[in-house]
């Protein structure tokens, strides 16, 4: 009986020992997860528009000095016009070639043949002679027809080397009541600002006087040299 008890105790001890030393079930291997870094969203900022700065505009103010105009007239030739008060205007009778008949007068406005007026009787056909002369200018002139104070003119203009030649030839049908016709001529320097405009202003004032108005018309008598 004593042996049975001992055997029973050994059995119990073995059972208990086996329970304590039983291996724990192996853990189920977990998959290895590799963490991928989050992709950073890159937002492209649009480039600022290119700003073009325009060069500053320089405004140049050109002042045209307008001289006081002086009225002139020749009661004998029945012509009149206005010119800058500083101009010295004179008239003289031209010497014609031997054998020529008639009269011709030259009224000088600017010395050196820069600006002058020729006045002559239409009976000699000098108007056509002047047209022929002006048509030989080089370069060939531009021709046009203009009317100034009821006088019809053939106008010629030619520019060369900063010089502009302009001539106005009155038609016979526009002669004054004495039968006189006129040619107005000037040469303007294009390097002198407003010179051609100043000369044209004088031309635009040119007019013929009638027999009833020549003596009473406003204006200074043009000095006659000879």
């Amino acid at each position: 009986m004593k042996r049975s008890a001992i055997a029973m105790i050994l059995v119990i001890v073995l059972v208990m020992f086996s329970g304590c030393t039983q291996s724990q079930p192996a853990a189920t291997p977990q998959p290895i997860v590799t963490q991928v870094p989050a992709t950073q969203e890159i937002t492209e900022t649009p480039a600022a528009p290119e700003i073009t700065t325009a060069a500053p505009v320089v405004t140049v103010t050109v002042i045209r000095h307008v001289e006081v105009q002086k009225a002139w007239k020749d009661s004998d030739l029945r012509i009149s016009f206005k010119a800058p008060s500083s101009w010295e205007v004179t008239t003289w009778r031209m010497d014609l070639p031997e054998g020529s008949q008639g009269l011709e007068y030259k009224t000088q406005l600017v010395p050196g043949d820069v600006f002058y007026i020729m006045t002559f009787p239409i009976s000699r056909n000098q108007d056509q002679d002047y047209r022929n002369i002006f048509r030989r200018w080089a370069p060939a002139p531009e021709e046009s027809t203009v009317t100034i104070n009821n006088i019809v003119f053939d106008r010629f203009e030619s520019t060369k080397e900063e010089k502009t030649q302009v001539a106005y030839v009155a038609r016979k049908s526009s002669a004054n009541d004495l039968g006189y016709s006129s040619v107005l001529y000037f040469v303007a320097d294009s390097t002198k600002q407003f010179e051609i405009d100043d000369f044209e202003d004088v031309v635009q004032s040119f007019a013929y006087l009638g027999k009833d108005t020549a003596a009473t018309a406003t204006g200074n008598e043009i000095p006659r040299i000879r």
Side-chain angles (χ1 to χ4, degrees), residues 100-217:
S100 299
Q101 297 179 351
L103 303 173
E104 186 169 8
Y105 297 89
K106 184 174 185 178
T107 301
Q108 176 179 271
L109 286 77
V110 180
D113 286 343
V114 174
F115 197 161
Y116 60 81
I117 300 172
M118 304 300 297
T119 304
F120 46 82
I122 59 176
S123 58
R124 296 182 55 222
N125 295 322
Q126 287 173 272
D127 59 321
Q128 190 56 46
D129 292 337
Y130 278 109
R131 289 186 184 91
N132 294 336
I133 292 172
F134 301 145
R135 284 171 178 151
R136 291 196 292 268
W137 283 348
E142 294 183 8
E143 296 187 35
S144 60
T145 301
V146 298
T147 301
I148 302 172
N149 296 319
N150 297 319
I151 307 172
V152 180
F153 290 94
D154 293 318
R155 185 180 186 277
F156 302 83
E157 180 176 337
S158 176
T159 300
K160 181 180 180 181
E161 298 177 353
E162 299 182 340
K163 299 290 185 180
T164 299
Q165 295 186 95
V166 179
Y168 290 81
V169 182
R171 294 187 178 178
K172 289 182 179 181
S173 57
S174 296
N176 63 24
D177 58 6
L178 287 179
Y180 281 108
S181 188
S182 299
V183 169
L184 290 78
Y185 168 89
F186 66 77
V187 55
D189 187 342
S190 59
T191 64
K192 296 179 180 178
Q193 201 167 29
F194 304 124
E195 184 170 77
I196 190 170
D197 294 331
D198 292 338
F199 289 175
E200 287 287 3
D201 287 344
V202 176
V203 173
Q204 294 300 316
S205 71
F206 183 82
Y208 286 140
L209 301 173
K211 62 180 180 180
D212 298 328
T213 60
T216 59

Side-chain angles (χ1 to χ4, degrees), residues 43-96:
T43 303
E44 184 177 353
T45 303
E50 183 179 353
I51 300 175
T52 303
T53 303
V57 178
V58 179
T59 302
V60 179
T61 302
V62 179
I63 300 175
R64 178 185 178 186
H65 174 67
V66 179
E67 190 173 348
V68 176
Q69 300 292 294
K70 183 177 181 179
W72 293 95
K73 69 175 183 177
D74 190 312
S75 300
D76 294 332
L77 300 180
R78 308 281 175 82
I79 64 173
S80 67
F81 55 86
K82 292 181 180 179
S85 58
S86 63
W87 291 10
E88 295 182 6
V89 180
T90 55
T91 295
W92 64 87
R93 181 176 171 178
M94 297 291 293
D95 294 326
L96 299 179

